[in-house]
Amino acid sequence: MPPPPPPSLARLHQRLSLSLLRGRSPPAAADAFLHRGLASSSSSAAAAAAVAAAAGREKSSRRTLAYLLGVAAAMVGASYAAVPLYRRFCQATGYGGTVQRRESVEEKISRHARDGTTTSREIIVQFNADVADGMPWKFIPTQREVKVKPGESALAFYTAENRSSAPITGVSTYNVAPMKAAIYFNKIQCFCFEEQTLLPGEQIDMPVFFYIDPEFETDPKMEGVNNIVLSYTFFKVNDS
């Protein structure tokens, strides 16, 4: 004879209710049903908790990735964004020989010419060139150094070549070392802070016309300074 079918859920509920009202123990089938229900509820709660934890980890990972991408983008943009700020700083302080509004280089030259200022000390001006990461240009000084006396002007050239297969626009910054000598190094003509666009394979020569203030020779702080280094760095301008 086949075993009897399991009691229905409604029948189990009725028998369980009667047993509880009469103070008896619940039938074995009802007791098993309760344990299965509790176990099922516990498993469902654990599964729900696991899903929620996984969702939380995924959300946290997305936030972390977005933060890292934002930091990377900010670092890439910071280099080029600093160029106009650096230019305004140089104009305000005269750093690196940037002409300030109170006296132009031409006015300085005329003033010293009227005063008959003469100098005898010789200075070696050296030239350096760099490109920032991601800038596919070859950028070099045409000459490594020139000799000049305070009160004299001199002309030098830098060469840039686009070695990529697409047009590239770049902009340069500069610095003068040692820093204490920068106030006496005046650029009459310069390509710094100006955007330069080169076609694929194109090469150009860019002039730097500068003047060493004769007051360099009479400043006690310049004693022992016989070399000045002029450095330029080219940055790639974003297409956007």
Side-chain angles (χ1 to χ4, degrees), residues 96-149:
T98 300
V99 179
Q100 293 176 281
R101 292 181 176 83
R102 61 173 179 266
E103 185 179 32
S104 67
V105 178
E106 291 77 7
E107 290 169 342
K108 276 186 179 181
I109 295 174
S110 298
R111 174 167 59 83
H112 287 296
R114 289 194 307 268
D115 296 342
T117 306
T118 59
T119 59
S120 58
R121 184 176 173 184
E122 191 173 66
I123 304 169
I124 297 176
V125 179
Q126 299 170 311
F127 304 95
N128 181 65
D130 294 295
V131 293
D133 291 341
M135 181 57 153
W137 282 12
K138 179 183 179 182
F139 178 51
I140 59 173
T142 305
Q143 64 293 297
R144 285 299 176 185
E145 63 183 40
V146 298
K147 295 180 179 179
V148 63
K149 293 180 179 180

Side-chain angles (χ1 to χ4, degrees), residues 13-220:
H13 183 270
Q14 181 181 10
R15 291 168 64 184
L16 175 62
S17 300
L18 290 173
S19 297
L20 292 175
L21 287 173
R22 294 171 181 173
R24 299 176 183 173
S25 299
D31 187 58
F33 172 77
L34 285 175
H35 280 85
R36 284 198 302 270
L38 291 174
S40 176
S41 299
S42 177
S43 299
S44 300
V51 171
R57 286 194 298 270
E58 183 179 358
K59 185 176 181 180
S60 177
S61 298
R62 285 198 297 265
R63 284 199 301 264
T64 302
L65 179 60
Y67 172 77
L68 293 176
L69 291 175
V71 170
M75 291 176 67
V76 171
S79 297
Y80 179 63
V83 172
L85 297 176
Y86 182 70
R87 174 173 51 192
R88 287 195 288 270
F89 165 77
C90 293
Q91 290 173 340
T93 62
Y95 175 73
T98 300
V99 179
Q100 293 176 281
R101 292 181 176 83
R102 61 173 179 266
E103 185 179 32
S104 67
V105 178
E106 291 77 7
E107 290 169 342
K108 276 186 179 181
I109 295 174
S110 298
R111 174 167 59 83
H112 287 296
R114 289 194 307 268
D115 296 342
T117 306
T118 59
T119 59
S120 58
R121 184 176 173 184
E122 191 173 66
I123 304 169
I124 297 176
V125 179
Q126 299 170 311
F127 304 95
N128 181 65
D130 294 295
V131 293
D133 291 341
M135 181 57 153
W137 282 12
K138 179 183 179 182
F139 178 51
I140 59 173
T142 305
Q143 64 293 297
R144 285 299 176 185
E145 63 183 40
V146 298
K147 295 180 179 179
V148 63
K149 293 180 179 180
E152 293 180 347
S153 57
L155 180 65
F157 286 89
Y158 282 77
T159 300
E161 179 185 358
N162 181 3
R163 292 190 163 184
S164 75
S165 59
I168 299 292
T169 299
V171 65
S172 67
T173 61
Y174 72 93
N175 71 285
V176 176
M179 185 179 293
K180 62 183 180 181
I183 59 174
Y184 298 113
F185 191 96
N186 298 272
K187 295 184 301 301
I188 301 172
Q189 181 181 358
C190 175
F191 55 86
C192 53
F193 307 128
E194 296 179 358
E195 293 187 358
Q196 310 285 339
T197 300
L198 298 184
L199 299 177
E202 184 179 3
Q203 177 178 307
I204 60 170
D205 293 325
M206 296 172 286
V208 179
F209 191 33
F210 62 91
Y211 167 78
I212 306 295
D213 194 317
E215 295 175 7
F216 178 97
E217 186 166 299
T218 58
D219 187 346

